[in-house]
Amino acid sequence: QCIQRIRDIFLNMGFDEMSGYLVESAFWNFDALFTPQDHPAREVQDTFYLAHPQTLPLPEDRTLVEQVKQVHEANYGGDWTEAEASRAILRAHTTTSTARRLHQLRGQDGKYFSIDRVFRNETVDRTHLAEFHQIE
């Protein structure tokens, strides 16, 4: 009920809802958001990496992939690899949807929100689960 109420508020304010994939590539979850490939958030202690599928295709837009690679290599040191970017994960946040949408819009205006499930490799206790909803 709470999620539906929040959804209704955004819709009544003129926003469009966007949703994404529960299984995502590290490219959209991390690389396109300029999280270095050696960042601690990318370690298995924080992120659920999948065995099947182990990888997902990178975007068909090779210009985008090259631009992301250039920013990483120019600012974070070391080599940026497509192998790391193509790793399949359970998405850690809904900003993957925003990154995809911004790429689709290519500068066009839009008002979007997302309410969706995300996954973090948390120690489960009375205050933490490995799955929760994020609003963006």
Side-chain angles (χ1 to χ4, degrees), residues 57-96:
L58 293 177
E60 292 180 15
D61 183 344
R62 292 305 301 174
T63 301
L64 172 66
V65 174
E66 281 302 313
Q67 288 172 336
V68 167
K69 176 182 179 177
Q70 289 172 7
V71 169
H72 276 264
E73 289 184 346
N75 294 286
Y76 307 129
D79 291 330
W80 180 89
T81 69
E82 290 190 7
E84 179 63 29
S86 67
R87 292 180 73 184
I89 66 169
L90 291 178
R91 69 169 173 212
H93 49 81
T94 57
T95 311
T96 60

Side-chain angles (χ1 to χ4, degrees), residues 11 18 20 31-32 37-38 41 46-47 50 53 58 76 81 84 86 92 103 113 116 120 122-123 125 134 136:
L11 291 170
M18 62 181 173
D31 295 288
Q37 288 193 332
D38 63 352
D46 292 320
T47 301
L50 302 180
L58 293 177
Y76 307 129
T81 69
E84 179 63 29
S86 67
H103 178 64
F113 75 97
D116 224 334
R120 304 257 176 89
E122 299 278 347
T123 300
D125 62 24
Q134 185 176 37
E136 175 166 340

Side-chain angles (χ1 to χ4, degrees), residues 4-128:
Q4 189 56 49
R5 183 172 179 181
I6 294 167
R7 179 177 283 117
D8 290 342
I9 290 169
F10 278 112
L11 291 170
N12 287 329
M13 291 172 42
F15 286 81
D16 292 319
E17 186 170 8
M18 62 181 173
S19 61
Y21 304 102
L22 297 178
V23 174
E24 188 59 89
S25 69
F27 179 87
W28 288 112
N29 196 89
F30 294 121
D31 295 288
L33 299 168
F34 303 110
T35 304
Q37 288 193 332
D38 63 352
H39 192 279
R42 296 175 83 134
E43 295 178 9
V44 294
Q45 297 93 290
D46 292 320
T47 301
F48 288 111
Y49 288 91
L50 302 180
H52 302 286
Q54 194 169 17
T55 62
L56 292 171
L58 293 177
E60 292 180 15
D61 183 344
R62 292 305 301 174
T63 301
L64 172 66
V65 174
E66 281 302 313
Q67 288 172 336
V68 167
K69 176 182 179 177
Q70 289 172 7
V71 169
H72 276 264
E73 289 184 346
N75 294 286
Y76 307 129
D79 291 330
W80 180 89
T81 69
E82 290 190 7
E84 179 63 29
S86 67
R87 292 180 73 184
I89 66 169
L90 291 178
R91 69 169 173 212
H93 49 81
T94 57
T95 311
T96 60
S97 300
T98 301
R100 284 178 179 272
R101 185 55 51 103
L102 288 172
H103 178 64
Q104 291 169 348
L105 289 173
R106 298 181 190 262
Q108 297 176 39
D109 291 338
K111 289 173 48 174
Y112 296 92
F113 75 97
S114 174
I115 304 174
D116 224 334
R117 292 185 301 165
V118 298
F119 306 87
R120 304 257 176 89
N121 196 358
E122 299 278 347
T123 300
V124 177
D125 62 24
R126 64 183 177 80
T127 61
H128 294 88

